[in-house]
Structure formats: C-alpha cells, structure tokens
Amino acid sequence: MRDQPTAQQLLTLARAGDLEPILHLCDLDGHGDLLAYKWLTVAADFGHDDADDLIDDVLQVTSLRYDDDSSLTGEVHFELGVAYLTGGDGLPVDPELARRHLTAAADARYPAGIQGGDELVEAARAALTGGDRPLFDAIYPPAT
C-alpha cells in the first residue's frame, strides 16, 4: 500500500495542470477517489479545462458513481469552500470560488443531509474570522 500524497504535492500538480499524476497518486480506491475529485476540481478552478473531462471520468468509473445523494462530492465542495475562505490546504483566499463551492455543497444538501451536519457547519463557522463569516452565513445561515 502506498502512502497518500500530501495536499501540497496535489496542489502543486493541480496548479500546473499536471493532471495524470493526480490520478496515479490518488490510487482511485475509495478515499483516493475523493482526493482525485478534489484536486481535479482545484485544477479546474485554476483554469485547466481538461480537468473537467477527468472529473467526469472519476465520477463515472470510481466508487463515486454510487454517490446518488451527492453527499461525498458535497463534502469535497464544502471542504473546498471553507479552504478558499481561509487559505486552507495551501489554496488562495478566493471569496468567489468559496461561494461557488459552498453553494454546490448546500445544493447537494451537505452537510445538512448527514448525521451531525449541524455540528460540522458550526465548527466551520467557529473557525472563520470576521471577514469571511458573512459569505458563509449567507449560504449556511446561523440557527436562531
């Protein structure tokens, strides 16, 4: 069994548009499917249009084809949205990409559709500072 690649390795490949190594490093085998989806999505965010075809392939030929409720891909979009708000995973702070990914997660009913989803939202909210909170709150309104 190979070690999982680091986020920094995958980010470097995604930024450069070096997509095939992402697929090979992620070892499309369950959790690797999600890693490939995440970092190919980041590559698409950085303008590498050929990533879209590989994303489609990952969605069709891996375990993600069974993600009927979109909870797995929704989780990835939620993580990316928060990362683009905070600069997590080495990603740049980018409110527009954060909005796009958080909206995709909310549209997939993530994390609302999973057990403990409210706690995940509140944990993410607690990690945000003043400037990034309004965008998050607009998509995931605080409980009253």
Side-chain angles (χ1 to χ4, degrees):
M1 182 174 168
R2 285 191 288 180
D3 291 332
Q4 288 292 327
T6 66
Q8 186 58 49
Q9 289 170 315
L10 294 167
L11 174 60
T12 299
L13 293 167
R15 278 184 185 267
D18 200 0
L19 306 178
E20 288 298 324
I22 292 173
L23 293 175
H24 296 295
L25 285 171
C26 290
D27 223 12
L28 303 178
D29 67 350
H31 183 67
D33 301 352
L34 287 173
L35 276 177
Y37 179 79
K38 176 180 180 175
W39 293 103
L40 290 171
T41 299
V42 169
D45 291 344
F46 282 109
H48 301 290
D49 295 332
D50 45 342
D52 291 328
D53 291 335
L54 289 175
I55 291 168
D56 289 341
D57 290 346
V58 167
L59 290 172
Q60 290 177 9
V61 301
T62 70
S63 65
L64 293 178
R65 72 178 171 263
Y66 303 112
D67 186 26
D68 295 331
D69 64 356
S70 299
S71 63
L72 296 173
T73 54
E75 177 182 7
V76 169
H77 288 288
F78 186 79
E79 289 174 7
L80 286 174
V82 172
Y84 279 121
L85 277 179
T86 63
D89 282 338
L91 294 169
V93 173
D94 188 319
E96 187 49 43
L97 285 173
R99 179 186 322 282
R100 185 179 335 153
H101 286 291
L102 290 171
T103 299
D107 288 348
R109 294 198 21 77
Y110 188 88
I114 66 164
Q115 185 173 352
D118 291 341
E119 289 83 11
L120 282 172
V121 169
E122 290 311 312
R125 186 185 326 281
L128 299 174
T129 58
D132 45 22
R133 278 281 294 275
L135 188 151
F136 187 86
D137 288 349
I139 298 166
Y140 292 98
T144 56

